[in-house]
Amino acid sequence: MRKHRSFASLRAITALVLREVQTSNGRASGGYFWAIAEPAGGIVLLTLIFSITFAQPPIGTSFAMFYATGMVPFLGYMDISSKVASSVRYSMALLSYPAVTFMDALLGRIVFNAVTQVMVATVIFTTIMLTSETRTDPQMDLIVIGLAMMILTGSAIGVMNCFLFEAVSWWQPLWGIFMKPFFLLSCIFFMFDDVPQPYQDWLWWNPLIHVIGQMRRAFYPQYAGDYVSYTYVFGLGLGLFALGLALLVRYHRDLQNS
């Protein structure tokens, strides 16, 4: 019986991933081009604006690579967290079938969007490396850790919000307002090391600071990034993921019937 349930769950997750492939970008004109076009367009725009204003980026020689190391993990986090947060609502009709559980819906969206964002990061970073002189030395192990931090943070916030969006009606619009300043407060345009005290200590608690800092030191070996804390990001991510999952396990039937 245990083997049968595991196999059924795997089939359900696979079916949900295939549905995501078809409905997220498969029917749109251009398909997955748009998943890459959003961060790529932002990087090009920032590169054009700041290359006119400044002689060189805060680190390195390539404006495109500097902003890519900030934009790619930030937009990847935003995409994963928003998609995971709406996973149960998006699959509400399917959850009425005994073979599909809320966990299948969550895992299906996490797997699909994590793979999509890794693909987007690979395409963007590879394109920049091949088309311009970046003077960077990418460290694959550090890049993998940075992507893992991005995926875990996005998934954990998404799972927590998956419960809160359904349980508290006013939380979703409030969360949207709360997240808007994070585009400016996550060190996409500047270096965390340049922020004066006491603001630097305050910003440190933003997990995206660590994700972006990790990605930058993965591409710039000369950048120490001593403030990046694996313990904080992975501890916070696993804690929020576990809490959100526990709340969904306890209340998911009440939320489905409300």
Side-chain angles (χ1 to χ4, degrees):
M1 291 292 292
R2 194 174 292 116
K3 290 182 180 179
H4 176 72
R5 284 198 296 269
S6 298
F7 183 65
S9 181
L10 180 61
R11 290 177 61 187
I13 293 170
T14 303
L16 288 168
V17 170
L18 292 175
R19 185 183 70 149
E20 290 287 336
V21 172
Q22 192 174 41
T23 58
S24 294
N25 297 98
R27 294 180 181 178
S29 177
Y32 282 94
F33 166 79
W34 297 111
I36 301 171
E38 182 181 5
I43 293 165
V44 170
L45 185 60
L46 290 174
T47 300
L48 291 174
I49 293 173
F50 286 97
S51 61
I52 295 172
T53 308
F54 301 102
Q56 63 180 27
I59 186 172
T61 59
S62 171
F63 281 96
M65 182 58 78
F66 175 76
Y67 294 120
T69 53
M71 289 282 288
V72 168
F74 179 83
L75 293 179
Y77 153 79
M78 290 291 289
D79 184 74
I80 292 173
S81 62
S82 64
K83 294 290 178 59
V84 174
S86 62
S87 56
V88 170
R89 184 181 301 174
Y90 181 73
S91 301
M92 190 68 74
L94 295 175
L95 295 180
S96 59
Y97 295 96
V100 181
T101 67
F102 79 92
M103 182 64 75
D104 297 332
L106 283 174
L107 291 177
R109 280 219 147 175
I110 290 172
V111 169
F112 171 76
N113 289 286
V115 171
T116 298
Q117 292 308 314
V118 170
M119 177 194 71
V120 169
T122 302
V123 171
I124 289 177
F125 286 130
T126 302
T127 301
I128 294 173
M129 292 286 291
L130 292 177
T131 57
S132 62
E133 177 56 53
T134 62
R135 296 185 184 179
T136 56
D137 183 19
Q139 304 296 308
M140 189 54 63
D141 55 336
L142 298 181
I143 293 173
V144 170
I145 294 174
L147 291 174
M149 293 166 71
M150 175 194 75
I151 292 169
L152 177 59
T153 303
S155 300
I157 296 294
V159 170
M160 194 69 211
N161 279 337
C162 187
F163 168 76
L164 291 174
F165 285 175
E166 298 298 325
V168 184
S169 60
W170 47 264
W171 177 249
Q172 186 168 2
L174 182 64
W175 179 258
I177 295 171
F178 179 69
M179 283 305 298
K180 285 186 181 357
F182 272 71
F183 187 70
L184 299 174
L185 299 177
S186 297
C187 293
I188 297 174
F189 309 101
F190 52 89
M191 302 297 293
F192 176 78
D193 313 75
D194 297 333
V195 178
Q197 293 289 3
Y199 309 109
Q200 190 178 87
D201 290 339
W202 300 346
L203 283 180
W204 187 91
W205 295 102
N206 175 6
L208 295 176
I209 293 286
H210 301 261
V211 177
I212 292 173
Q214 172 65 21
M215 195 63 73
R216 283 189 170 144
R217 72 177 182 177
F219 281 88
Y220 301 98
Q222 71 274 24
Y223 181 58
D226 296 330
Y227 59 89
V228 175
S229 173
Y230 296 159
T231 303
Y232 173 63
V233 175
F234 286 108
L236 179 67
L238 292 173
L240 286 177
F241 195 97
L243 177 59
L245 205 57
L247 290 169
L248 285 171
V249 169
R250 173 64 180 82
Y251 295 107
H252 74 278
R253 295 193 182 279
D254 295 334
L255 296 176
Q256 284 179 241
N257 297 328
S258 64

